Amino acid sequence: MVQHWEGVKWILGYLKGKKGHGIMFGNQHGDHSIVGFVDSNYAGDSDDERSTKGCVFTLIVGLVCCKSIIRSLVAMSTIEAGYMALADASKEDVWLVGLVKEVSIENGGA
């Protein structure tokens, strides 16, 4: 637990020194499509060796969704961890596309 707390303090100190900085995502598609990125690791959690998955979705030039989750299920291989992350990100993509259509922003799909 102490190791985790030290990591949190380091991250907060780093962020404090980066006020005014940010991340800008460019839209290479030229339209209002949702662009998603997903990644996972196999048994990467040092506490109980569960997989971690993360995904990022952008719309136009802004970040609309960013998640990093330690999986509750244990993957049997790196390929399975990747498929599980892709399946979760696909569900998120479908939900975001529906939301964008609902609020009347033109969307070409992901």
Side-chain angles (χ1 to χ4, degrees):
M1 186 68 168
V2 173
Q3 180 183 9
H4 294 292
W5 182 244
E6 291 299 319
V8 169
K9 290 194 310 188
W10 183 89
I11 291 169
L12 291 175
Y14 175 82
L15 292 175
K16 183 179 179 184
K18 300 297 178 188
K19 288 182 183 177
H21 289 78
I23 298 174
M24 180 77 161
F25 295 96
N27 184 355
Q28 298 174 356
H29 299 283
D31 58 10
H32 294 123
S33 62
I34 293 174
V35 179
F37 304 91
V38 64
D39 195 13
S40 67
N41 69 1
Y42 171 66
D45 183 16
S46 60
D47 291 334
D48 57 13
E49 298 186 356
R50 290 185 294 168
S51 300
T52 306
K53 70 120 182 172
C55 59
V56 172
F57 289 93
T58 62
L59 176 62
I60 306 171
V61 294
L63 181 69
V64 292
C65 179
C66 179
K67 291 183 177 182
S68 178
I69 299 170
I70 296 173
R71 304 226 22 115
S72 59
L73 302 172
V74 177
M76 301 302 286
S77 68
T78 56
I79 293 174
E80 184 180 17
Y83 283 144
M84 290 165 53
L86 185 59
D88 288 344
S90 297
K91 288 186 247 179
E92 188 75 26
D93 178 58
V94 168
W95 185 85
L96 286 169
V97 168
L99 177 66
V100 167
K101 286 180 181 177
E102 205 171 301
V103 295
S104 300
I105 297 175
E106 292 180 15
N107 183 26

